[in-house]
Amino acid sequence: MDETREPVPLSESQTEMTEMLLPDSTNDLGRALGGVVLHWMDICGAISAMRFANRQCVTASMDHVDFIAPIDLGEIAVIKAYAFNTGRTSVDVKVDVHSEDPRTGEKQETTTSFLTFVAIDSDGNPTTVPDVVCETDAETQLRQEAVEKRQAELESIIERMREEY
């Protein structure tokens, strides 16, 4: 049975993971395989959604993924995620990845996407999630930027589909 839940601060969902890019996760150019990066993003996003909902969450969708720059062998990948919006049973999470060269300290944005997760109860059925609340101006801005960027991406997809069909 669904229950009404108290709003949860965006900060409760903020999650950061780090991974070192090793040879078994690279292509023949010594760069991260796209599937490996997507795997890291899915895990980080799921942890963020579960922290937020205080429930088991499963991946429902991953929006368009932008691979902005490569991650090279030996670099550190930093994956950051936070919940920015909810539906009745779903949690929308923004996931960003950047690389760090441990020898120089140089950082570079590499990948970004929006993922949607569904909270499930102990029987595996979708269950309600709380609303997102922002406790600081910085959280409000972070949330607003995510909402606006996702909306712009969805509008772009609709426009491309109209042009193609």
Side-chain angles (χ1 to χ4, degrees):
M1 179 173 175
D2 287 346
E3 60 187 70
T4 303
R5 308 207 44 221
E6 290 293 318
V8 173
L10 180 147
S11 60
E12 295 280 323
S13 71
Q14 290 183 313
T15 301
E16 181 176 312
M17 293 175 23
T18 55
E19 298 282 345
M20 178 173 274
L21 186 60
L22 299 172
D24 65 340
S25 297
T26 64
N27 60 25
D28 61 343
L29 300 173
R31 294 182 165 165
L33 292 166
V36 169
V37 176
L38 295 176
H39 175 78
W40 294 337
M41 293 173 75
D42 189 34
I43 290 172
C44 191
I47 292 168
S48 174
M50 288 186 281
R51 284 179 166 170
F52 176 81
N54 199 28
R55 303 259 191 236
Q56 180 67 39
C57 292
V58 295
T59 309
S61 69
M62 179 180 278
D63 288 8
H64 174 88
V65 179
D66 290 318
F67 290 97
I68 301 159
I71 302 170
D72 291 321
L73 179 64
E75 289 186 334
I76 298 165
V78 179
I79 307 96
K80 294 182 180 182
Y82 62 92
F84 69 92
N85 209 8
T86 61
R88 192 176 67 78
T89 63
S90 62
V91 181
D92 293 329
V93 177
K94 181 154 188 329
V95 183
D96 296 305
V97 182
H98 74 264
S99 63
E100 294 180 4
D101 186 327
R103 297 167 300 269
T104 66
E106 181 182 343
K107 298 178 183 180
Q108 182 172 326
E109 182 181 4
T110 65
T111 318
T112 187
S113 188
F114 297 97
L115 287 78
T116 300
F117 296 87
V118 173
I120 57 173
D121 63 19
S122 58
D123 295 323
N125 297 311
T127 188
T128 57
V129 297
D131 290 328
V132 177
V133 64
C134 297
E135 297 182 316
T136 66
D137 289 342
E139 286 181 9
T140 300
Q141 182 176 349
L142 195 62
R143 181 173 189 244
Q144 189 61 36
E145 288 172 359
V147 167
E148 289 173 4
K149 184 172 182 190
R150 188 175 207 194
Q151 183 64 35
E153 286 184 5
L154 292 174
E155 289 171 6
S156 174
I157 291 168
I158 290 169
E159 187 60 34
R160 280 195 309 253
M161 290 183 76
R162 283 187 182 140
E163 291 172 2
E164 291 179 17
Y165 300 101

